[in-house]
């Protein structure tokens, strides 16, 4: 869900190659892409590529793109333009475009940007090793039947004690504004046994927290022992893995929060008290136009049930402002819903018309109207986020240390509620799960002290 492009620094080792070739990957958009970039680095590692953080020294540059909003998609083209001098200086440099822009635009990318050598959609990453060896330009945006994860090599690069695990891909919901059902295709769930094996492997290599990923993760319905498993069952079985201390999942649709999943929040101690449950709008009229298939009231009732199961749960959401036809009254309904729920965090976006989606046919609102609404909504969310953080001060929470902080003797990690916490702890090491007393709150993080016997 991060909006910030991230450059990955996973180190894939060359196997049997002479001089390692260097791979630079830039990741845009969501956590699924962060995960996919790591897997692509590993797949190309088998072909002798090692990753670099310096684009200028790369033999291959791969942009793992996001198509969800226009700005994200256009950024890819401006970044490609900036690669031109590099390609001119180094004609052998391979430039690849992966991810959802690749899926949505396919060959068009080659027409618009002739410097691109390969275009690969999210379902074809296992074919990357062959694709890089091909002469000339290659485009692969098929939706093959087979599970791409079967063909990707076992994970090597682990980044600390937390890991993502993709359990489901694609989305069947067809929200009127969203390109995901077109770029990522229909929902496909990976079989439970494979996921459990992958989770065990991660834990055996030091992972203590796993976040299950999927575009519509709580729609998970994978083949498991005795039939089809929902996400609740999968979480319960994962929680039984020795040494796996924490579980999370993202991103969910309200209509797929079934009873078993809600009960898991009460019954599975490893399932952390934080839930990202996008509602997008608080106006029934707009929710209907968005094809969300639930009302504001139904969302509020659902939140009540989730809070009954796990009273201390922190909720976050996504919001879109300025959806076609949104009036001041509709927007006020969204603000009312936010006040009624009290979110710990949220992502909010100005509506962006995406070609091929039903909403793109409708007239857009003036930019000033959307800008003002976004500002008002973000101010309210910031207020709620601060209040949720302040409420933590004085409390004891678990913090999983991820890395040393900037100050000497400081560790940084995430609390159970997914707050970043800076802990003064000269004995701390990454991977430790420590009880911490929260002593202070800064704009985007908390401060704390370890509670040691
Ligand atoms: N315009 C603005 N925001 C969008 N999102 C998805 N599509 C669009 C769009 N066309 C937002 C939704 C979604 C999040 C990942 O991105 O809020 O939950
Ligand atoms: Fe897009 Fe999420 Fe709606 Fe699916 S549920 S169409 S991914 S916004």
């Amino acid at each position: 869900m991060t909006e910030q492009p991230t450059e990955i620094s996973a180190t894939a080792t060359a196997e049997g190659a002479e001089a390692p070739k260097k791979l630079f990957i830039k990741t845009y958009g969501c956590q699924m892409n962060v995960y996919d970039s790591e897997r692509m680095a590993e797949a190309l590692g088998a072909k002798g590529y090692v990753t670099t953080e310096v684009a200028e020294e790369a033999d291959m540059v791969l942009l793992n793109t996001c198509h969800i909003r226009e700005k994200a998609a256009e950024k890819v083209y401006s970044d490609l333009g900036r690669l031109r001098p590099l390609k001119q200086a180094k004609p052998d440099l391979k430039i690849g475009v992966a991810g959802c822009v690749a899926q949505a635009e396919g060959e068009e990318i080659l027409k618009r940007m002739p410097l691109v050598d390969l275009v690969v959609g999210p379902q074809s990453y296992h074919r990357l090793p062959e694709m890089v060896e091909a002469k000339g330009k290659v485009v692969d945006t098929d939706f093959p039947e087979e599970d791409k994860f079967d063909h990707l090599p076992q994970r090597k690069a682990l980044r600390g004690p937390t890991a993502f695990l993709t359990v489901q891909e694609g989305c069947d919901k067809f929200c009127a504004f969203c390109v995901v059902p077109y770029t990522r295709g229909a929902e496909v769930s990976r079989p439970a046994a494979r996921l459990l094996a992958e989770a065990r492997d991660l834990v055996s290599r030091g992972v203590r927290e796993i976040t299950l990923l999927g575009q519509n993760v709580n729609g998970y319905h994978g083949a498991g022992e005795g039939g089809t498993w929902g996400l609740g069952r999968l979480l319960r079985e994962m929680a039984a893995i020795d040494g796996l201390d924490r579980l999370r999942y993202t991103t969910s649709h309200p209509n797929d929060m079934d009873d078993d999943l809600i009960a898991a929040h009460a019954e599975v101690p490893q399932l952390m008290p934080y839930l990202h449950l996008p509602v997008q709008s608080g106006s029934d009229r707009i929710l209907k136009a968005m094809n969300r298939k639930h009302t504001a009231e139904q969302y509020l009732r659902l939140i009540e049930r989730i809070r009954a199961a796990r009273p201390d749960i922190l909720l976050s959401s996504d919001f879109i402002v300025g959806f076609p036809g949104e009036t001041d009254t509709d927007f006020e309904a969204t603000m009312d819903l936010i006040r009624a729920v009290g979110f710990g965090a949220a992502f909010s976006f100005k509506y962006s018309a995406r070609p091929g989606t039903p909403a793109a046919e409708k007239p857009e609102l003036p930019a000033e109207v959307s800008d003002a609404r976004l500002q008002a909504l973000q101010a309210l969310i910031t207020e709620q986020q601060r209040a949720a953080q302040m409420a933590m001060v004085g409390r004891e929470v678990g913090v999983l240390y991820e890395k040393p902080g900037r100050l000497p003797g400081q560790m940084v990690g995430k609390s159970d509620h997914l707050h970043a916490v800076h802990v003064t702890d000269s004995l701390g090491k990454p991977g430790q799960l420590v009880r911490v007393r929260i002593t202070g709150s800064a704009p985007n993080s908390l401060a704390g002290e370890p509670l040691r016997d």
Side-chain angles (χ1 to χ4, degrees), residues 141-434:
T141 53
D142 288 348
F143 277 111
E145 286 294 300
E146 79 249 46
D147 182 346
K148 71 174 178 189
F149 296 99
D150 282 351
H151 302 274
L152 287 169
Q154 203 210 21
R155 296 227 199 146
K156 292 190 192 119
L158 294 181
R159 293 201 290 173
T162 62
F164 292 123
L165 177 55
T166 295
V167 303
Q168 174 278 336
E169 283 198 293
C171 184
D172 298 339
K173 291 280 187 283
F174 290 93
C175 298
F177 50 81
C178 184
V179 285
V180 168
Y182 311 97
T183 52
R184 293 277 176 156
E187 287 180 19
V188 178
S189 296
R190 300 180 62 205
R194 267 188 228 151
L195 296 170
L196 288 165
E198 205 171 310
R200 273 187 217 105
D201 173 61
L202 289 169
V203 172
S204 76
R205 290 183 299 134
V207 166
R208 302 191 66 178
E209 169 177 321
I210 295 181
T211 301
L212 306 185
L213 288 184
Q215 265 94 25
N216 187 27
V217 72
N218 61 340
Y220 177 80
H221 51 276
E225 216 179 276
T228 304
W229 289 13
L231 191 66
R233 174 82 191 268
L234 184 65
L235 285 164
R236 288 169 205 274
E237 302 285 337
M238 292 247 167
I241 298 174
D242 221 21
L244 181 52
D245 297 320
R246 287 173 151 192
L247 285 162
R248 306 180 188 275
Y249 60 94
T250 198
T251 289
S252 298
H253 189 288
N255 290 359
D256 287 327
M257 290 302 299
D258 64 23
D259 292 346
D260 186 47
L261 181 54
I262 295 174
H265 280 277
E267 292 158 13
V268 178
Q270 291 89 339
L271 187 52
M272 290 292 103
Y274 180 96
L275 178 62
H276 183 63
L277 193 60
V279 64
Q280 314 294 355
S281 168
S283 151
D284 289 345
R285 227 173 52 81
I286 295 298
L287 286 168
K288 194 159 198 299
M290 286 177 163
N291 194 31
R292 292 288 293 180
K293 298 200 169 84
H294 63 77
T295 62
E297 186 61 24
Q298 283 165 337
Y299 183 83
L300 293 173
R301 295 289 82 81
L302 175 61
I303 297 298
E304 272 175 15
R305 287 170 56 217
I306 295 167
R307 282 193 166 139
R310 184 76 204 236
D312 69 334
I313 201 161
L314 208 69
L315 293 155
S316 79
S317 176
D318 292 339
F319 295 95
I320 295 178
V321 299
F323 187 80
E326 186 186 71
T327 62
D328 284 339
T329 314
D330 293 319
F331 177 66
E332 274 315 311
T334 300
M335 297 292 270
D336 287 344
L337 179 138
I338 296 172
R339 287 184 201 103
V341 174
F343 289 97
F347 298 92
S348 45
F349 312 101
K350 242 187 343 173
Y351 169 73
S352 160
R354 307 307 291 126
T357 60
E361 311 288 315
K362 300 192 185 160
E364 288 182 48
L365 297 195
E368 317 83 76
V369 173
S370 306
D371 285 337
R373 287 179 188 166
L374 188 64
Q375 233 179 11
L377 188 148
Q378 285 179 342
L380 178 57
I381 291 290
T382 302
E383 216 176 273
Q384 296 194 337
Q385 186 175 337
R386 298 245 162 101
Q389 284 189 203
M390 282 311 293
M392 291 289 165
V393 177
R395 279 178 61 178
E396 265 181 44
V397 295
V399 176
L400 178 58
Y401 291 165
E402 291 175 15
K403 55 185 183 199
R406 287 217 188 109
L407 303 177
Q410 191 187 54
M411 294 300 298
V412 185
K414 295 277 168 30
S415 73
D416 303 340
H417 295 88
L418 207 58
H419 287 125
V421 189
H422 294 87
V423 186
T424 312
D425 186 357
S426 53
L427 302 175
K429 295 207 170 40
Q432 290 177 338
L433 182 56
V434 176

Side-chain angles (χ1 to χ4, degrees), residues 59-61 80 87 91-97 109-110 113-119 131 134-139:
D59 299 288
M60 174 164 185
V61 172
L80 283 170
K87 179 91 171 181
D92 287 344
L93 173 70
K94 272 200 187 286
I95 297 183
V97 178
I109 297 173
L110 298 182
M113 285 286 166
L115 85 173
V116 172
D117 300 287
L118 67 94
V119 175
M131 290 173 79
K135 297 266 175 285
K137 310 222 174 224
V138 262
V139 176

